Amino acid sequence: MRIDLGEDEAPEIGLIALIDCIFFLLMFFMVATSFKQPEGEKPQKELPVTLPQAQMSLDRVGAGAPPLTISVDKRGKLYVDGSAVSVQGLHDRLKQESAGNPGRPIRIDGDEMARYQDIVHVLDLCQFEGFTKISMHTRQ
């Protein structure tokens, strides 16, 4: 004798549970790989830095060739060896100097109230033209 339990339903695969498992595995691997540090490299920590005044400077007699002096005042105006120039004028002067003497040292005299961005812009122009001997002038 056969017992009738009703109509037989076809088995279904629960996609929602499967999708949840896939997302869980994806999140696990994303988190696990983001914390792994490359071998041999230490993570850099942010340090509170207060820049000091310079207590000593080089002797001008033994310093070598005179540097090209670029000054930045507190309003961001540029001066090359004492004469006022525009940003394009500074770029042209640096291009001229790099063609004639690429090893000439550069000295940046920045006012203590000058914006940091103005000093960085001058550094970028110097590095773009290939100067590697760049120094910052400080007061004793």
Side-chain angles (χ1 to χ4, degrees):
M1 167 158 157
R2 184 168 185 221
I3 302 175
D4 188 24
L5 298 174
E7 292 185 24
D8 290 336
E9 293 182 18
E12 294 181 17
I13 298 174
L15 288 179
I16 298 206
L18 184 63
I19 291 172
D20 287 344
C21 289
I22 297 296
F23 279 128
F24 177 72
L25 287 172
L26 179 67
M27 292 296 289
F28 173 76
F29 286 117
M30 286 174 51
V31 169
T33 58
S34 66
F35 290 125
K36 183 179 178 183
Q37 295 292 326
E39 302 272 335
E41 291 183 23
K42 293 183 180 180
Q44 294 181 354
K45 296 180 181 177
E46 187 175 337
L47 299 174
V49 175
T50 305
L51 298 175
Q53 281 185 327
Q55 300 298 323
M56 298 182 70
S57 63
L58 291 174
D59 185 19
R60 291 180 192 250
V61 176
L68 177 67
T69 304
I70 302 171
S71 302
V72 181
D73 69 2
K74 63 183 175 182
R75 289 171 285 161
K77 291 187 178 180
L78 302 171
Y79 303 89
V80 176
D81 289 334
S83 60
V85 293
S86 64
V87 175
Q88 184 61 41
L90 174 63
H91 189 125
D92 294 339
R93 178 71 188 271
L94 289 173
K95 190 180 292 188
Q96 178 186 10
E97 288 292 330
S98 69
N101 186 6
R104 184 171 183 187
I106 304 289
R107 186 180 82 199
I108 299 175
D109 296 342
D111 188 273
E112 65 182 357
M113 299 302 287
R115 290 185 327 145
Y116 186 66
Q117 183 61 45
D118 295 332
I119 304 295
V120 169
H121 187 67
V122 171
L123 284 169
D124 284 342
L125 286 174
C126 292
Q127 289 177 345
F128 179 76
E129 292 301 328
F131 291 101
T132 57
K133 297 178 182 177
I134 302 171
S135 63
M136 306 291 270
H137 191 217
T138 59
R139 58 185 164 97
Q140 288 186 342

